[in-house]
Structures are given as C-alpha cells and as structure tokens.
Amino acid sequence: RTEIQRVLLKTRTKKNCHMTEQKERKRLSVVVPTYDECLNIRPLCERLFKASNQSKLIMELIIMDDDSGDGTIKTESIVKDLKAEGYAIRIHVRRKGEGRGLSSAVMLGLSKAKYDTMLVMDADLQHEPEAVPSVAKPVLTRQAEFSV
C-alpha cells in the first residue's frame, strides 16, 4: 500500500455537463479498495454515510475487492445486507483478468464511479470516515482541483 496511503480526491472533467453547479457539488463517489477487509466494511459504511448525511452530501460507496476467497464472500454478503438497509453501496470483485494490487483497483474503481467528484480511502479505518466531508469540501466548492 505504498502508492496510496492518503485520501485522494480528484474531480473528473465532464464534457457537455447539464447538471447544475449546486447538484454537482454535493455528489461524491467514494472508492475503497479492499483485500480481506470484511470486518471493517459495516463500520466504514455506517460511519461514512452518517458523516455524509450530516453534511447533506449525496454519496455512493464503491468497494473494489481483490478476491481474497472467504473474505470476499463475507464482504459480498455484508455489502448485500447494507444495500438492503438502504445504503448506496456496491461491490466489484476483481477477477484475475482485471489485474491485482492497489493502484489498478483504484483506477478501475474511479472508472466505475457514478459522480464526477471522487475520493479514495482505505478500508482499514486509518482514514476517519467522519473526515470525508471536510476533505472533500475544497473540491466540492471549486476551491481546489484535488485534496490530500
């Protein structure tokens, strides 16, 4: 995990955007690469969505799982339960042909993001989910192109 140890936020350029500035600024895709992190998925999701709701931020959570066997099966089950509870969460399990490792998981996750503003964070809770709105704020308010 030496390449991305910090939260990275980047806005994707969108051509022919018909969204209003207000709507676009309040939407965030959070990409979380994982490998055998099933124990952290529920607390991460609950804390992240609590913080985003308090900040009136519309958010999706994308779990990019590197197929850790039993850990992946548990993670998929947890994500299914969280989705059924109303959380905007989805999972993509990367198979062998899609690459391995953190960097390629992040890149694939960013390509799957629904919103133009994206944030990448670790699943191990070393990045506090409650900090996401403040980390994203400079980009969401157009004061910066990225935030670390």
Side-chain angles (χ1 to χ4, degrees), residues 47-58:
R47 290 172 59 188
L48 192 58
F49 278 95
K50 181 178 180 184
S52 71
N53 290 339
Q54 290 172 345
S55 299
K56 297 184 172 111
L57 185 62
I58 298 167

Side-chain angles (χ1 to χ4, degrees), residues 23-88:
K23 286 182 181 176
E24 189 174 8
R25 284 191 283 188
K26 296 300 256 176
R27 297 174 189 258
L28 181 67
S29 293
V30 177
V31 176
V32 179
T34 65
Y35 185 85
D36 201 20
E37 295 279 359
C38 60
L39 296 177
N40 294 331
I41 300 301
R42 179 169 286 280
L44 171 70
C45 180
E46 290 172 347
R47 290 172 59 188
L48 192 58
F49 278 95
K50 181 178 180 184
S52 71
N53 290 339
Q54 290 172 345
S55 299
K56 297 184 172 111
L57 185 62
I58 298 167
M59 189 187 73
E60 70 164 339
L61 178 56
I62 306 166
I63 305 296
M64 296 300 296
D65 191 273
D66 252 354
D67 198 6
S68 60
D70 288 344
T72 294
I73 293 167
K74 291 175 187 171
T75 299
E76 287 178 306
S77 177
I78 293 165
V79 168
K80 183 180 177 182
D81 291 346
L82 289 164
K83 191 170 189 155
E85 293 170 26
Y87 291 100

Side-chain angles (χ1 to χ4, degrees), residues 1-6 8 31-35 64-66 94 98-112 120-122:
R1 292 190 176 209
T2 58
E3 263 183 68
I4 300 179
Q5 287 291 322
R6 295 171 271 166
L8 171 66
V31 176
V32 179
T34 65
Y35 185 85
M64 296 300 296
D65 191 273
D66 252 354
R94 294 194 322 150
E98 292 179 292
R100 285 277 169 249
L102 182 62
S103 298
S104 59
V106 168
M107 296 306 293
L108 183 59
L110 294 174
S111 74
K112 293 183 173 299
V120 176
M121 66 185 295
D122 288 344

